């Protein structure tokens, strides 16, 4: 996922995905496909058997692969996902080349996709035009003309429908406490760095990033022909810093109940009278104003004060900066390089930019028209048989989860019944949507990329506003089918597995069950467990935000998860850089619960079959190695630090070692003893699901 601008994909629902990155995978040209079946199961050659599995299982499974696969210059991380991603991208490129030379009829899927791609790829034209496409939008001109708080409202209501992240975020989404309707949400926003911590952390790297960010602001204005004084840059930064200070941290934002605060327009106006709210809502086209969910009310209160305290010229400069920051990658090569230097080089350790066509695919995949590409992908690259087999695995894993709820010694009967009811109510989506999104009336041209992005934002914004008056569309997907990822959506209590993840190395109908259950099975278990993690467990069987736990069970659950927080807080990924146990709690619970459930589903699949030893490894050992290998990766230090500060997922190594060091099933498979690094002391081990 990009850091800025914010990917459309993740702007909307609180979907809980298995991965942070956008990657894709193609199955039929995989080089291992012709190997003998025994070799196809596991990549034994990737292991480093000189390492003791009792001290570092991740290294034991992947050591040789890691040595042979340093991170390429144009990437910040290299993993199983990237290996397959690189293959699929070549295929997606062919699809895009095909649709971009077609001369298809206006408004057709091919025309939209093809012209969007062409406009992205036409670097000569973009360099030639320079700032012209931006000037045509008048966005900078309006922001420069702000003279009072009314001017701020005018410009805000112009920015938000055009996808510019100024001051706060407005969105339409499913109502978390009444999921038969949509509702408007207001939330904190308006930052150019990833989150609050970046503005206040005192470590050396954060201080350098802040200095580089200020230089970046200055360089981008320069490019636009405006030379800012150091003081002016400080004023822009000062607004962001004040907004960051008023914001909640990422950990605080995990509490969905604390973010559900229904307001009327009048109530919002009472708390923050500096902004003319009725005018703002009218201008953006919001008709149904009866209820607005304010996610961080204290942010909006403070915002009112800030608008009074800070000189109006600071706001004007800041809003010009928001425009430039949003479109940094949409104009000339010079500006693109400037963006790369800060957001990719400094923040993520990349040294070379990806090729244009690769960036085009990543951009489309993160955009609202990603389904157009995914639709073409599954037309040729999806097996209905695989879907049936994965569907069957979901059945088995759900049944095992249900049995395990029966056997939980820490949960009371009433809560167990509710948990089982929730599990039985999970909806599932496999492969690709039953109903494809339509993009009727979306105007995309082949020669003005910036205009295309603005059109896309306006189109999506209007589409969302129209939804307010319509019934919930439960068929909607929040990931395109070609993505190697999966998610749980608590508001609809649904698990979603795109075609991209139902493929080798996650799943192959010819793999032995040990491998399929350790990988695809663990992914399925992971997403199911999200319904019962620290965040998902606050939503009931029908998807509404409600408390279905007895208070006693709720306390016991917190005690159990507290142990995971403490365990992960101890992981030092680099000198002085620790995992944030609270931020990653939901994902760590899901990894732990998911693998446990998948393991027992695998044992069940073994019933009545003959056990086997392959390369000296038992069935159980192969299951754990298969799991250990799917998370193999090499990563640049800058990227690792950025991830620890922004990602809800723990780094791959700890997804393996952290999870396994809590599992007695793993201890017996590899004879892990009390005192070994891969085994937590017994008083720290927790069993949740
Ligand atoms: Zn997850």
């Amino acid at each position: 996922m990009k850091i800025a601008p914010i990917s459309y994909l993740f702007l909307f629902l609180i979907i809980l995905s298995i991965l942070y990155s956008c990657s894709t995978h193609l199955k039929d040209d995989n080089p291992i496909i012709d190997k003998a079946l025994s070799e196809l199961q596991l990549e034994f050659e990737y292991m480093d058997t000189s390492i003791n599995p009792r001290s570092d299982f991740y290294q034991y499974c992947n050591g040789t692969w890691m040595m042979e696969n340093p991170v390429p210059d144009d990437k910040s991380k290299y993993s199983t996902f990237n290996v397959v991603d690189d293959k699929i991208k070549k295929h997606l490129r062919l699809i895009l080349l095909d649709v971009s030379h077609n001369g298809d009829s206006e408004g057709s899927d091919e025309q939209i996709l093809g012209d969007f791609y062409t406009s992205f790829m036409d670097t000569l034209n973009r360099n030639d035009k320079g700032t012209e496409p931006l000037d045509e939008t008048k966005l900078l001109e309006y922001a420069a003309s702000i003279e009072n708080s009314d001017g701020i409202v005018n410009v805000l209501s112009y920015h938000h429908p055009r996808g510019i992240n100024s001051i706060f975020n407005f969105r339409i989404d499913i109502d978390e406490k009444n999921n038969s309707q949509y509702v408007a949400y207001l939330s904190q926003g308006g930052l150019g760095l990833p989150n609050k911590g970046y503005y206040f952390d005192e470590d050396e790297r954060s201080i350098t990033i802040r200095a580089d960010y200020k230089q970046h602001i200055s360089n981008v204005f320069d490019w636009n022909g405006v030379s800012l004084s150091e003081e002016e840059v400080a004023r822009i930064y000062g607004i962001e810093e004040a907004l960051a200070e008023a914001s909640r941290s990422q950990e605080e934002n995990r509490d969905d109940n604390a973010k559900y605060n229904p307001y009327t327009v009048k109530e919002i106006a009472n708390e923050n009278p500096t902004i003319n709210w009725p005018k703002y809502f009218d201008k953006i086209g919001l008709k149904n104003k009866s209820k607005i969910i304010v996610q961080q009310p204290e942010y909006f209160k403070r915002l009112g004060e800030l608008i009074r305290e800070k000189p109006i010229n600071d706001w004007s400069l800041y809003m010009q900066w928001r425009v430039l920051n949003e479109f940094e990658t949409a104009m000339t090569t010079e500006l693109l390089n400037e963006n790369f230097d800060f957001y990719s080089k400094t923040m993520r350790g990349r040294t070379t930019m990806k090729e244009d066509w690769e960036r085009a695919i990543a951009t489309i995949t993160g955009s609202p028209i990603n389904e157009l590409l995914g639709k073409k992908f599954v037309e040729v690259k999806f097996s209905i048989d695989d879907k049936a087999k994965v569907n069957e695995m979901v059945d088995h894993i759900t049944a095992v989860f249900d049995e395990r709820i029966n056997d939980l010694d820490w949960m009371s009967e009433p809560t167990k019944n509710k948990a089982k009811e929730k599990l039985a109510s999970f909806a599932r989506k496999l492969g690709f949507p039953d109903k494809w999104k339509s993009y009727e009336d979306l105007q995309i041209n082949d020669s003005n990329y910036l205009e295309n992005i603005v059109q896309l934002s306006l189109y999506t914004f209007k589409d969302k506003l129209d939804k307010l008056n319509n019934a919930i569309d439960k068929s909607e997907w929040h990931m395109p089918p070609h993505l190697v990822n999966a998610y749980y959506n608590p508001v609809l209590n649904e698990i979603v597995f795109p075609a991209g993840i139902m493929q080798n190395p996650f799943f192959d109908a010819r793999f032995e069950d040990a491998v399929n259950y350790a990988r695809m099975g663990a992914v399925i278990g992971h997403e199911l467990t999200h319904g019962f993690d620290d965040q998902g467990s606050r939503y009931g069987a029908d998807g509404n935000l409600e408390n279905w736990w007895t208070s006693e069970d709720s306390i016991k659950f917190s005690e159990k998860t507290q142990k995971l927080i403490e365990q992960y807080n101890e992981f030092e990924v680099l000198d002085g850089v620790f995992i944030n146990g609270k931020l990653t709690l939901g994902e760590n619970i899901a990894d732990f619960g998911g693998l446990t459930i998948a393991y027992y589903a695998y044992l069940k699949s073994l019933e009545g079959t003959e056990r086997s030893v392959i390369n000296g490894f038992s069935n159980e050992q192969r299951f754990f190695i298969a799991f250990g290998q799917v998370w193999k990766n090499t990563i640049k230090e800058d990227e690792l630090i950025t991830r620890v500060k922004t990602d809800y997922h723990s780094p791959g190594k700890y997804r393996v070692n952290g999870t396994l060091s809590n599992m007695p099933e793993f201890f017996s498979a590899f004879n892990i003893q009390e005192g070994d690094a891969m085994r937590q002391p017994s008083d720290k081990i927790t069993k949740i699901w």
Side-chain angles (χ1 to χ4, degrees):
M1 193 171 77
K2 291 171 292 185
I3 289 194
I6 296 166
S7 163
Y8 289 100
L9 257 171
F10 300 96
L11 196 61
F12 307 118
L13 283 172
I14 344 142
I15 59 172
L16 305 162
S17 60
I18 189 137
L19 244 209
Y20 173 77
S21 63
C22 298
S23 30
T24 41
H25 167 51
L26 185 66
K27 88 188 268 194
D28 61 354
D29 58 352
N30 194 305
I32 63 168
I33 218 137
D34 292 318
K35 286 189 179 178
L37 190 63
S38 62
E39 288 174 77
L40 194 110
Q41 326 258 337
L42 285 174
E43 293 92 6
F44 295 114
E45 69 274 22
Y46 293 165
M47 298 175 69
D48 180 354
T49 47
S50 71
I51 300 285
N52 188 339
R54 291 161 58 177
S55 50
D56 187 344
F57 193 70
Y58 172 81
Q59 192 69 27
Y60 171 73
C61 291
N62 304 309
T64 304
W65 182 90
M66 287 164 65
M67 212 159 61
E68 290 170 356
N69 290 278
V71 188
D73 289 345
D74 66 344
K75 291 184 169 65
S76 45
K77 183 181 178 209
Y78 193 60
S79 68
T80 313
F81 295 85
N82 295 107
V83 176
V84 291
D85 187 35
D86 287 347
K87 274 181 211 141
I88 197 174
K89 274 195 292 204
K90 287 183 186 139
H91 185 76
L92 295 173
R93 186 187 192 186
L94 292 179
I95 293 176
L96 289 167
L97 283 173
D98 185 42
V99 292
S100 61
H101 292 122
N102 254 345
D104 291 289
S105 59
E106 198 67 21
S108 65
D109 289 358
E110 290 78 8
Q111 181 268 320
I112 292 172
L113 195 55
D115 284 355
F116 189 86
Y117 180 68
T118 305
S119 71
F120 184 99
M121 295 296 289
D122 196 353
T123 315
L124 284 178
N125 182 28
R126 279 161 66 174
N127 283 335
D128 210 35
K129 285 186 169 166
T131 58
E132 199 184 298
L134 184 58
D135 297 342
E136 283 165 10
T137 65
K138 309 269 183 210
L139 280 159
L140 280 176
E141 199 181 312
Y142 291 159
S145 70
I146 294 174
E147 283 174 350
N148 48 39
S149 65
D150 227 32
I152 294 180
V153 172
N154 285 337
V155 173
L156 260 183
S157 59
Y158 199 70
H159 278 189
H160 289 169
R162 285 163 182 78
I164 297 159
N165 164 31
S166 279
I167 302 184
F168 61 83
N169 292 319
F170 169 88
R171 73 181 208 279
I172 305 289
D173 227 321
I174 297 175
D175 186 337
E176 287 163 6
K177 286 199 176 173
N178 178 4
N179 65 2
S180 62
Q181 63 182 33
Y182 290 97
V183 72
Y185 288 86
L186 287 177
S187 56
Q188 65 188 40
L191 306 180
L193 291 172
N195 59 42
K196 180 176 186 166
Y198 279 83
Y199 293 83
F200 302 105
D201 289 349
E202 277 305 320
D203 57 284
E204 212 174 299
R205 188 173 179 275
S206 300
I207 293 167
T208 308
I209 284 180
R210 286 198 284 275
D212 287 0
Y213 180 56
K214 287 176 196 160
Q215 186 59 50
H216 177 62
I217 297 176
S218 171
N219 294 350
V220 173
F221 270 91
D222 264 351
W223 172 85
N224 194 47
V226 179
S227 176
L228 293 185
S229 67
E230 219 171 285
E231 196 224 333
E232 284 171 313
V233 173
R235 285 168 175 272
I236 293 173
Y237 181 81
I239 297 263
E240 287 197 12
E241 190 185 48
L243 295 176
E245 193 175 19
S247 298
R248 290 188 193 169
S249 69
Q250 276 188 303
E251 298 97 282
E252 287 167 333
N253 269 328
R254 286 184 67 73
D255 185 344
D256 293 340
N257 274 312
K259 284 192 298 185
Y260 193 93
N261 309 290
Y263 275 71
T264 60
V265 175
K266 211 174 162 188
E267 286 165 342
I268 298 174
N270 281 343
E271 286 193 6
N272 173 352
T274 322
I275 288 182
N276 185 340
W277 290 98
K279 186 174 174 186
Y280 168 78
F281 290 126
D282 279 343
K283 285 207 146 206
I284 61 168
L286 181 70
K287 294 207 171 65
N288 181 352
K289 304 187 199 67
S290 51
K291 179 165 95 173
I292 290 151
I293 309 299
V294 182
Q295 297 206 288
Q296 299 88 6
E298 72 285 3
Y299 178 83
F300 288 88
K301 268 187 221 167
R302 179 72 187 119
L303 175 61
E305 294 162 12
L306 283 173
I307 291 178
R308 282 194 301 272
E309 287 166 14
K310 298 264 183 191
I312 202 71
N313 188 44
D314 292 17
W315 290 99
S316 167
L317 279 171
Y318 160 80
M319 288 177 94
Q320 292 172 58
W321 166 237
R322 294 272 31 95
V323 173
L324 289 167
N325 192 214
E326 186 64 38
F327 295 116
E328 279 175 18
T329 57
M331 289 182 276
T332 66
T333 307
E334 199 186 355
L335 192 53
L336 184 66
N337 287 335
E338 171 61 37
N339 174 279
F340 178 82
D341 278 347
F342 179 68
Y343 285 108
S344 297
K345 222 182 241 177
T346 305
M347 304 231 1
R348 326 210 75 143
R350 266 177 225 160
T351 48
T352 314
M353 206 184 297
K354 284 192 169 62
E355 287 189 47
D356 288 354
W357 64 271
E358 282 186 86
R359 289 190 298 104
I361 289 171
T363 302
I364 294 170
T365 299
S367 85
I369 54 166
N370 54 19
E371 258 186 41
L372 292 177
L373 189 56
K375 190 176 172 183
K376 295 265 171 209
F377 170 75
V378 294
E379 274 170 15
V380 282
K381 296 289 165 198
F382 187 62
S383 149
I384 294 298
D385 293 344
D386 286 355
K387 180 174 170 170
K389 171 88 186 180
V390 172
N391 193 41
E392 199 183 282
M393 285 175 73
V394 179
D395 285 341
H396 292 162
I397 289 168
T398 307
V400 168
F401 202 166
D402 184 77
E403 282 167 23
R404 293 184 68 78
I405 291 173
N406 283 338
D407 297 343
L408 292 178
D409 56 7
W410 60 272
M411 194 183 257
S412 69
E413 283 308 311
T415 310
K416 275 185 187 176
N417 290 336
K418 290 279 188 186
K420 284 160 71 81
E421 187 194 332
K422 178 162 187 180
L423 186 64
S425 309
F426 268 81
R428 65 178 85 152
K429 291 175 175 169
L430 304 177
F432 56 86
D434 292 333
K435 192 179 97 192
W436 295 100
K437 280 178 192 147
S438 106
Y439 300 89
E440 233 171 284
D441 303 329
L442 172 61
Q443 306 274 327
I444 295 296
N445 68 74
D446 65 358
S447 58
N448 188 336
Y449 176 62
L450 190 141
E451 191 191 332
N452 282 340
I453 310 180
V454 174
Q455 284 303 323
L456 213 47
S457 295
L458 284 168
Y459 185 88
T460 317
F461 195 84
K462 183 175 177 304
D463 186 55
K464 288 269 175 187
L465 280 177
D466 290 345
K467 280 194 161 146
L468 257 187
N469 310 311
N470 296 326
I472 294 294
D473 181 2
K474 290 194 175 179
S475 70
E476 212 179 356
W477 282 51
H478 299 284
M479 265 180 197
H482 59 275
L483 204 65
V484 187
N485 208 333
Y487 68 88
Y488 169 66
N489 179 3
V491 194
L492 294 178
N493 196 28
E494 62 177 4
I495 44 174
V496 185
F497 304 98
I501 202 161
M502 293 188 203
Q503 322 219 17
N504 179 332
F506 287 95
F507 173 81
D508 191 310
R510 295 160 307 158
F511 279 173
E512 65 159 331
D513 279 347
V515 179
N516 276 338
Y517 274 93
R519 294 178 180 172
M520 191 65 212
V523 171
I524 296 166
H526 175 104
E527 298 306 337
L528 285 173
T529 307
H530 268 317
F532 305 90
D533 71 17
D534 63 316
Q535 211 171 13
S537 62
R538 294 167 186 239
Y539 293 79
D542 63 5
N544 285 317
L545 193 54
E546 60 177 314
N547 185 13
W548 48 272
W549 295 67
T550 65
S551 50
E552 202 178 308
D553 289 341
S554 199
I555 291 166
K556 282 188 194 154
F557 181 66
S558 297
E559 283 166 6
K560 284 181 170 287
T561 58
Q562 182 59 33
K563 286 194 175 179
L564 276 191
I565 296 177
E566 286 159 15
Q567 180 196 0
Y568 281 80
N569 275 342
E570 301 265 303
F571 287 132
E572 188 173 18
V573 302
L574 287 170
D575 271 353
V577 181
F578 291 86
I579 292 182
N580 180 337
K582 236 179 177 167
L583 180 68
T584 55
L585 178 60
E587 294 301 330
N588 298 333
I589 296 173
D591 280 344
F592 181 24
L595 189 68
T596 306
I597 298 157
Y599 177 79
Y600 285 99
Y602 169 56
L603 290 192
K604 216 161 213 186
S605 82
L606 275 183
E607 282 168 16
T609 67
E610 213 171 304
R611 303 177 63 83
S612 59
V613 173
I614 299 178
N615 254 30
F617 295 109
S618 69
N619 295 68
E620 287 82 358
Q621 288 177 326
R622 296 198 301 279
F623 174 91
F624 289 113
I625 294 170
F627 173 74
Q629 289 194 329
V630 90
W631 291 112
K632 65 182 182 291
N633 73 92
T634 44
I635 186 164
K636 294 199 171 130
E637 284 193 4
D638 288 321
E639 173 73 1
L640 187 55
I641 299 169
T642 298
R643 294 253 180 167
V644 167
K645 289 178 82 159
T646 58
D647 191 354
Y648 294 96
H649 306 87
S650 298
K653 175 178 173 179
Y654 303 93
R655 296 188 78 159
V656 175
N657 288 357
T659 304
L660 294 179
S661 57
N662 278 310
M663 283 182 69
E665 300 82 357
F666 166 71
F667 306 156
S668 13
F670 280 91
N671 189 27
I672 315 284
Q673 301 295 323
E674 215 32 278
D676 286 346
M678 283 305 303
R679 180 170 178 158
Q680 285 222 92
S682 46
D683 60 324
K684 290 192 173 170
I685 288 181
T686 185
K687 180 196 163 211
I688 305 175
W689 298 109

